[in-house]
């Protein structure tokens, strides 16, 4: 039976992988745009797109045979290790992909060290004191756009202080700034997830028994951390992939020749062989990380996963006073309402990059437009779209997460694709716009939630109290609706709310690349991108959207901690305490 499940999981991953590669290969057919024209522009922007020039390119690339034949030729070379030849440069694809992957893996390793150190700092107070914290600092750091953090580090540490090089990839010193820009938000996310799960584990009965037996505090804390990690192993794997394939903006800021930047350049020029090679490597990396995370989780759970020996801890998030979300909501609502009363499109070239004043409380942008007005009018597009995308991703994750095997397989493949590549694929079919960006971000937002759901579902199904429920005659529908779903819905919903600011940032990144909201829209991501070039001259105007996103993150955390425990979950907890074993986890 186990072998059958393994074969199914491999088949699902292979099918998803082939589907994505076929989608990339058929990009010209889906977009309806002549690939010869894109290749001509990439090779020589000044050359006139005459019929003769386009015909020569089609003959050179073999485009006359159609996308299906091109896809077949490319796939036929894979067993020989041949990824084809670049349409733009004429060079072999494999060396370019290998070089970009090596750079990205090096950057990923450094960023992962930063992330683990930052995550440990956020989780340490909870591990030492045994009670939850509010988590607002971690959420606010998570909400800082990576490209904005990269620009801030570049200006402060690279330009003003001159401590580190600002671009290139020539020495270990060049790794530090991009590693910090990637690792700080990722570490804050990991630390917050661990800190949210630890208090419930430390409240389990085995901790009390170990203390009574004279077990040392250090050993108890280590066992509690080990008990917490299985449900989060998938998140760690996805963070690893994100640090490699999702670093397009950071690689662009620091001119790092990584695999993400290579894929973006190939997609922009429609260099299909190079794009297919990059996507293949990213997908392979995602599958490897997902499979490794699954093996680590199974090793941590041990025999309990198959022997129904788990007792699940009830969620114990720290209750944040009602005044906190009320105050945050009041500040955001006040700023947004004040901005809605003003004109966001009025241009005053005489006030370009003007500082805060009574007339313009947050200053003016590069065209003299009121930043407060644009901030207020952009809230609906930013928060509304991000909320809708988060809700859609949550629903998809809960549905797919109830099928842990297929969900994990699809999540591994979907998570391996950076939002930029997803945005390019969706835009090729639907055209660029806010709707295309929302769909692309939704496709990339559900895998972490589905992975979290699948891990929790497997633990619930392996817990001792469900054995008692089945012995009492409970049917599958009763078990799923009254125990399994209520047990996982609360933690996953809190996780989804915590990711709301990140969704807004993903939408902003696609808008910056021309795949989402278009200028002169006052969407917050576009405000960040527009202000990045003059952050040093007009810091208030540049920081205003970043502070708004940080306040949104803090509000999301306070709301996520406020979800009351479901009645069924409390009933399940009481039952679990009666019938489950109090044996301690092995260390």
């Amino acid at each position: 039976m186990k072998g059958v499940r393994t074969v199914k999981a491999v088949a699902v991953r292979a099918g998803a992988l082939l589907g994505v590669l076929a989608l990339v290969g058929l990009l010209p057919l889906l977009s309806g745009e002549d690939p010869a024209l894109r290749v001509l522009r990439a090779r020589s922007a000044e050359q006139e797109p005459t019929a003769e020039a386009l015909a020569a390119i089609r003959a050179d690339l073999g485009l006359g045979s159609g996308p299906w034949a091109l896809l077949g030729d490319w796939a036929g070379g894979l067993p020989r290790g041949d990824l084809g030849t670049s349409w733009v440069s004429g060079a072999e694809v494999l060396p370019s992909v290998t070089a970009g992957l090596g750079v990205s893996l090096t950057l990923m390793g450094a960023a992962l060290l930063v992330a683990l150190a930052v995550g440990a700092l956020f989780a340490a107070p909870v591990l030492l004191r045994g009670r939850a914290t509010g988590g607002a600092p971690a959420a606010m750091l998570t909400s800082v756009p990576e490209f904005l953090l990269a620009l801030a580090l570049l200006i402060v540490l690279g330009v003003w202080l001159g401590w580190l090089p600002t671009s290139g990839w020539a020495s270990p010193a060049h790794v530090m700034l991009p590693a910090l820009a990637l690792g700080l938000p990722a570490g804050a996310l990991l630390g917050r997830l661990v800190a949210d799960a630890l208090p419930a584990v430390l409240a389990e009965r085995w901790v009390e028994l170990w203390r009574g037996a004279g077990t040392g505090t250090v050993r108890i804390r280590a066992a509690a951390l080990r008990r917490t990690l299985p449900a989060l192993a998938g998140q760690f794997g996805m963070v690893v992939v994100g640090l490699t394939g999702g670093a397009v903006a950071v690689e662009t800021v620091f001119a790092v020749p990584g695999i993400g930047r290579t894929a973006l350049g190939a997609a922009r020029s429609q260099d299909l062989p190079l794009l297919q090679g990059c996507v293949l490597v990213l997908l392979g990396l995602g599958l490897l990380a997902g499979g490794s995370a699954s093996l680590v989780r199974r090793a941590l759970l041990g025999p309990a996963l198959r022997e129904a020996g788990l007792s699940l801890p009830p969620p114990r998030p720290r209750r944040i006073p009602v005044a906190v979300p009320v105050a945050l909501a009041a500040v955001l609502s006040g700023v947004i309402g004040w901005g809605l009363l003003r004109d966001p499109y009025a241009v005053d070239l005489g006030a370009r990059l003007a500082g805060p004043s009574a007339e313009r409380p947050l200053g003016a942008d590069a065209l003299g437009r009121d930043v407060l007005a644009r901030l207020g009018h952009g809230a609906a597009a930013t928060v509304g779209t991000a909320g809708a995308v988060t809700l859609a991703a949550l629903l998809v994750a809960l549905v797919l997460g109830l099928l842990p095997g297929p969900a994990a397989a699809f999540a591994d493949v979907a998570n391996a694709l950076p939002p930029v590549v997803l945005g390019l694929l969706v835009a090729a079919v639907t055209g660029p716009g806010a709707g295309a960006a929302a769909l692309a971000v939704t496709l990339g937002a559900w895998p972490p939630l589905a992975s979290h759901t699948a891990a929790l579902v497997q633990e619930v199904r392996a817990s001792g109290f469900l054995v008692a429920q089945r012995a009492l005659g409970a049917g599958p529908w009763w078990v799923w609706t009254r125990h399994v779903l209520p047990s996982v819905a609360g933690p996953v919903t809190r996780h989804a709310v915590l990711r709301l600011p990140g969704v807004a940032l993903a939408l902003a990144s696609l808008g910056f690349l021309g795949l989402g909201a278009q200028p002169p829209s006052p969407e917050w991501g576009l405000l960040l991108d527009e202000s990045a070039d003059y952050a040093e001259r007009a810091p208030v105007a540049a920081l205003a959207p970043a502070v708004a996103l940080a306040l949104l993150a803090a509000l999301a955390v306070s709301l996520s901690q406020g979800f009351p425990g479901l009645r069924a979950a409390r009933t399940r907890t009481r039952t679990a305490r009666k019938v489950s074993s109090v044996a301690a986890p092995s260390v």
Side-chain angles (χ1 to χ4, degrees), residues 77-151:
L78 291 181
R80 305 189 304 271
D82 182 10
L83 297 182
T85 303
S86 169
W87 285 0
V88 176
S89 66
E92 292 292 326
V93 168
L94 184 59
S96 300
V97 172
T98 303
L101 179 62
V103 170
S104 291
L105 288 177
T106 303
L107 177 58
M108 178 268 288
L112 185 59
L113 292 177
V114 174
L116 292 176
V118 173
L121 289 177
F122 282 110
V126 181
L127 187 63
L128 296 176
R129 292 186 303 215
R131 60 178 184 272
T133 59
M140 295 178 73
L141 181 56
T142 303
S143 70
V144 176
E146 292 175 346
F147 62 85
L148 183 63
L149 183 58
L151 288 170

Side-chain angles (χ1 to χ4, degrees), residues 562-581:
F563 287 116
L566 297 176
R567 181 176 301 177
R570 292 196 297 266
T571 302
R572 187 267 297 166
T573 301
R574 289 195 296 268
T575 306
R577 289 175 178 174
K578 292 179 181 179
V579 302
S580 62
S581 171

Side-chain angles (χ1 to χ4, degrees), residues 127 198 201-204 206-228 584-585 587:
L127 187 63
L198 274 173
V201 173
L202 292 173
E204 290 181 317
W206 67 266
V207 176
E208 180 181 350
L209 293 177
W210 279 29
R211 287 178 182 149
T215 305
T217 302
V218 174
R219 189 180 179 192
I220 292 176
R221 294 292 188 263
L225 184 60
R226 185 184 186 280
R227 173 73 173 88
T228 303
V587 183

Side-chain angles (χ1 to χ4, degrees), residues 212-362:
T215 305
T217 302
V218 174
R219 189 180 179 192
I220 292 176
R221 294 292 188 263
L225 184 60
R226 185 184 186 280
R227 173 73 173 88
T228 303
L229 292 179
L232 303 178
Q235 307 301 316
F236 278 77
M238 290 184 175
V239 166
V240 169
V241 178
L243 291 176
T244 306
V248 180
V250 173
E251 290 179 357
T252 301
V253 170
F254 293 106
V256 175
I259 190 69
R261 187 178 175 211
T262 302
L264 177 61
R268 283 175 168 172
S269 62
Q270 209 168 78
D271 189 349
L272 286 187
L274 182 56
L275 178 60
Q276 285 172 316
C278 293
V279 171
L280 179 64
V281 169
L282 290 173
L283 286 173
L285 180 64
L287 295 176
L288 178 62
S292 300
S294 179
L295 292 176
V296 169
R297 182 172 58 82
R298 287 181 175 274
L300 290 173
L301 289 176
L305 184 62
R306 61 178 181 271
E307 296 176 1
L310 290 175
S311 59
L312 298 180
R316 294 168 59 92
R318 178 181 176 181
R319 296 295 179 181
I320 295 180
V322 178
V324 174
V326 169
L328 292 173
V331 172
L332 275 175
S333 300
V335 172
I336 292 170
W338 193 6
L340 288 174
L341 300 176
R342 312 167 75 91
D343 186 356
Y345 300 107
V347 175
D348 183 1
L349 296 179
R352 295 178 65 252
L353 302 180
S357 64
E359 183 180 359
R360 299 179 181 86
L362 296 180

